Amino acid sequence: MDIALGLLVIVAVVCAGSAVGRKLNLPVPLLLALAGVAGSFLPFIPPVELNPELVLVGLLPPLLYAAAFRTSLFDFTSNRRSIGLLSVGYVIFGTLGVGAVVWWLFPEIPPAAAIALGAVVAPPDAVAATAIARRVGMPRRIVNILEGESLVNDATALVCLRAAVAAIAGSVSALDVAGGFVLAAGGGLVVGLAAAYILTEIRKRISNVAINTSTSLMAPFVAFLPAEAIHASGVLAVVVTGLVMGTKAPSMPNGAARQSARSNWDTVQFLLENSVFLLIGLQVRTIIDSVQDDSLGAGRVWLGCAVILLAVLVLRPLWVFPSTYLPRLIPSVQRKDPAPPWQFPAIVSWAGMRGVVTLAAVLTLPGDLEHRNVLVLAAMVVVGGTLVLQGFTLPALVRALGVPGPDRREDALNQASLMQLATAAGMERLEQLRRDSDPPEVMDMLRRRTQERGLAAWERLGRPAAEAATPSQRYAQLRMAMLEAERDKVLELRRGGDFAHEVLSEVLERLDVEESMLDASLHELDTAAGGGGEGLSQPGGVCDHLTAAMPSPVPDNPACAGCEREGTTPVHLRMCLACGHVGCCDSSAGRHASRHFKETGHPVMRSIEPGEEWRWCYVDDLLG
């Protein structure tokens, strides 16, 4: 009964805290951690002891799988050098660096135990950094690197921790440590690929939505448990499985199963990732009470913990800046990946919040270890200190450094362009499949509905957020009102008992499916009306610059001269309609089209990508 009540309270607090945080625009993880701290000192809340097995086996695999499933394998591999240097290089550097500081502060603690604490506090949390990164609108490459780091660094840290714990119990050689790394990495990779292959083949053959979704929920444990059984890295196996299955998921059959799996994983991830921060806060009072009688003395312990926190904060930039710029001294690396501005490594250096894995890992230290409670408190101080100091100041740092996040306008343009290409492919397939015997009205309906979906994305670009809804959004509003009336009628008839329950349920399910398809359009309209962001064009919808801009022929072999000069790679190309200058889009590293406008004031550019003819006015933020 007490366990059921505790779980109910945790879920209720998580839901309430998340709602309050979103309403007040506060970081939800930090808000829940502070709520947990406050709760730990309330007299009617019993002491909460975090079971490390629960976190490392019950919570960590599904959390990592959910994050890996949503991570682009392309983005991960394209940033593999940066991710590897952080998730492996920095973790080892931080483990040894913090271990040296701990041994210097507390010579009474064995060196192996000091290194164990270094391994515990080395990896940034898989949830906190990316949750805050997306919230503050960091550049996508920084977010991708932080995501990739947080997926792999736990595996490195846990291998280091195993070696340190083995050294505490007896002797361990460098060969043993190296062998442990090889087994952890190689075994985790093989098990992860095998689990992904088996699960993918199974899900391809299952048409039942409930069974298919349940198989998806099993995936992290199907990868984790066999890997741990052979002493490989279960964490790495889960990440590999998530990356592979996330890449293959869109091409899997059964759209209803894909939709169901996404919905269920959204709920699981929401509950788990927010609950862990609440659990972090609830540990505070228990951990503080445990060190009151330690022979090292309370003053010395607390001062040492503060110095360890400072070391954690300092060691990260000491690794990040050299590892960012030194590899680019190699000409081949510099050509493929030019050095980023110093603001990028500065942000990565400060995005090092620790989380629940740090607490769970430190609790696995042997119970008879001398001054174990001091090491646990030090880990708690590092978790709390980084969450508060870095978590609350990271948004301000990003704004102060003036690093631009993803451009909503560029994203909307690319979305519309992508939808146009997809629509063209669908229309081409329709022409291939049509028969002379097909009813003309069916062909007309298919063409009209397909074209309307593609045009909806362009409508959103051509109308300011402050204006009324686009035709597609107005359609969604009216259709939602109609669906509400239809549902009310079905529910009224259900009360009359004239129709079988199965018939009623089938009709209601069909209405729900159609309603879910309309939610995206209404969400965009609500965001615009509520001031959720700047519009994509200025009020009024009339632009003299677009009217005056004359058509201009596209060069035969267009190229961005700025990218060629700086050695960067363009994503999409744009051409100035005033002078014919070709530059790259804002998703490119150079952003040379926007830079050309700022330097010359030429207002209108057009896309010169194949199949695209739209124009954009920089002055009025308007599509034409």
Side-chain angles (χ1 to χ4, degrees):
M1 186 66 179
D2 291 339
I3 295 177
L5 179 60
L7 291 175
L8 177 62
V9 171
I10 288 175
V11 173
V13 172
V14 164
C15 294
S18 300
V20 171
R22 293 167 195 243
K23 186 174 183 61
L24 300 180
N25 198 27
L26 294 174
V28 173
L30 306 184
L31 188 64
L32 289 170
L34 294 177
V37 172
S40 70
F41 287 95
L42 295 176
F44 54 85
I45 295 182
V48 177
E49 294 185 8
L50 189 64
N51 185 338
E53 194 78 6
L54 171 66
V55 175
L56 297 178
V57 178
L59 300 183
L60 185 59
L63 277 174
L64 287 176
Y65 178 84
F69 190 85
R70 288 171 170 79
T71 298
S72 166
L73 184 59
F74 172 79
D75 290 337
F76 187 92
T77 54
S78 64
N79 293 298
R80 59 185 179 275
R81 185 188 68 253
S82 299
I83 292 172
L85 287 171
L86 286 172
S87 60
V88 178
Y90 166 68
V91 169
I92 296 175
F93 174 74
T95 296
L96 298 177
V98 172
V101 171
V102 173
W103 193 34
W104 171 67
L105 289 169
F106 306 114
E108 299 88 345
I109 294 178
I115 291 177
L117 179 64
V120 163
V121 301
D125 183 68
V127 177
T130 53
I132 295 175
R134 293 190 182 280
R135 175 179 169 272
V136 301
M138 291 186 194
R140 283 203 175 95
R141 186 173 187 189
I142 294 181
V143 176
N144 292 335
I145 290 173
L146 291 176
E147 281 184 338
E149 176 197 8
S150 65
L151 289 175
V152 184
N153 59 9
D154 288 331
T156 307
L158 292 176
V159 171
C160 292
L161 178 61
R162 286 177 186 172
V165 171
I168 293 173
S171 61
V172 61
S173 65
L175 185 61
D176 293 333
V177 175
F181 269 102
V182 172
L183 176 60
L189 178 63
V190 170
V191 172
L193 290 173
Y197 174 79
I198 293 171
L199 289 168
T200 300
E201 292 301 313
I202 291 174
R203 294 189 65 197
K204 282 180 180 178
R205 292 162 172 78
I206 298 176
S207 58
N208 183 276
V209 174
I211 299 176
N212 199 304
T213 303
S214 300
T215 306
S216 170
L217 295 176
M218 291 166 50
F221 302 103
V222 170
F224 183 84
L225 295 177
E228 289 294 314
I230 64 172
H231 304 291
S233 172
V235 169
L236 185 59
V238 169
V239 170
V240 171
T241 301
L243 286 171
V244 174
M245 293 192 69
T247 302
K248 292 181 175 293
S251 59
M252 295 275 287
N254 199 335
R258 294 197 301 268
Q259 182 74 15
S260 175
R262 280 195 298 268
S263 177
N264 281 278
W265 271 113
D266 285 343
T267 304
V268 170
Q269 187 176 16
F270 167 78
L271 288 175
L272 292 186
E273 72 182 17
N274 287 300
S275 296
V276 295
F277 290 102
L278 183 62
L279 290 173
I280 289 174
L282 290 172
Q283 302 300 299
V284 170
R285 182 179 178 183
T286 302
I287 294 174
I288 290 176
D289 291 342
S290 67
V291 299
Q292 296 303 317
D293 300 326
D294 193 275
S295 61
L296 294 177
R300 184 182 172 195
V301 168
W302 282 103
L303 179 60
C305 291
V307 175
I308 293 171
L309 171 61
L310 179 62
V312 169
L313 296 176
V314 171
L315 285 172
R316 186 166 172 88
L318 287 180
W319 175 267
V320 170
F321 275 91
S323 66
T324 299
Y325 293 109
L326 288 180
R328 289 176 170 86
L329 297 178
I330 302 173
S332 59
V333 175
Q334 171 67 22
R335 283 194 301 271
K336 293 180 180 178
D337 186 15
W342 67 269
Q343 291 91 338
F344 278 41
I347 293 173
V348 172
S349 298
W350 199 242
M353 290 74 74
R354 273 60 174 179
V356 72
V357 175
T358 293
L359 273 185
V362 78
L363 292 175
T364 63
L365 293 176
D368 58 352
L369 179 64
E370 190 176 3
H371 306 295
R372 177 180 182 273
N373 291 335
V374 174
L375 299 179
V376 175
L377 177 65
M380 180 73 243
V381 170
V382 169
V383 171
T386 54
L387 281 176
V388 173
L389 292 176
Q390 295 180 323
F392 278 113
T393 59
L394 185 59
L397 176 66
V398 174
R399 289 191 295 268
L401 294 179
V403 177
D407 191 322
R408 289 181 63 250
R409 298 166 300 179
E410 188 73 29
D411 285 349
L413 287 168
N414 288 333
Q415 183 187 51
S417 175
L418 181 61
M419 185 63 72
Q420 177 178 321
L421 295 173
T423 299
M427 297 294 291
E428 182 179 352
R429 177 60 61 87
L430 176 63
E431 295 302 322
Q432 293 172 355
L433 297 177
R434 64 172 300 183
R435 302 171 182 170
D436 294 337
S437 58
D438 289 329
E441 60 271 17
V442 173
M443 294 294 105
D444 291 340
M445 182 184 299
L446 285 168
R447 292 191 188 96
R448 185 179 69 254
R449 289 188 176 181
T450 303
Q451 291 171 347
E452 285 173 353
R453 187 185 60 185
L455 292 173
W458 293 106
E459 289 172 4
R460 179 170 170 260
L461 295 171
R463 191 174 298 234
E467 281 190 6
T470 66
S472 297
Q473 290 169 337
R474 182 57 179 161
Y475 167 85
Q477 284 180 321
L478 295 174
R479 184 58 188 144
M480 286 289 279
M482 294 170 64
L483 286 172
E484 183 178 356
E486 293 172 20
R487 185 177 293 103
D488 290 343
K489 184 62 176 180
V490 174
L491 295 177
E492 178 186 337
L493 295 172
R494 183 178 67 175
R495 289 190 291 269
D498 296 329
F499 295 90
H501 175 74
E502 290 79 3
V503 175
L504 291 164
S505 297
E506 179 68 22
V507 173
L508 289 172
E509 184 176 342
R510 290 174 182 269
L511 296 178
D512 289 341
V513 169
E514 184 176 356
E515 181 179 338
S516 68
M517 296 172 65
L518 299 171
D519 280 343
S521 296
L522 289 178
H523 176 71
E524 289 176 1
L525 180 60
D526 292 340
T527 301
E534 73 277 9
L536 297 177
S537 56
Q538 294 295 328
V542 177
C543 175
D544 294 335
H545 304 102
L546 287 171
T547 303
M550 299 299 294
S552 180
V554 178
D556 292 334
N557 297 301
C560 177
C563 286
E564 292 181 344
R565 183 173 59 254
E566 298 173 7
T568 56
T569 303
V571 177
H572 288 140
L573 294 179
R574 314 289 187 241
M575 185 178 73
C576 175
L577 291 183
C579 66
H581 173 84
V582 175
C584 58
C585 68
D586 285 355
S587 296
S588 308
R591 303 164 67 100
H592 292 110
S594 295
R595 285 164 62 177
H596 176 73
F597 161 67
K598 293 176 182 177
E599 293 168 359
T600 65
H602 296 167
V604 180
M605 63 83 174
R606 63 154 291 182
S607 171
I608 54 175
E609 291 297 314
E612 297 183 6
E613 298 181 357
W614 53 264
R615 301 174 299 160
W616 183 265
C617 176
Y618 283 103
V619 177
D620 296 321
D621 280 353
L622 192 64
L623 182 78

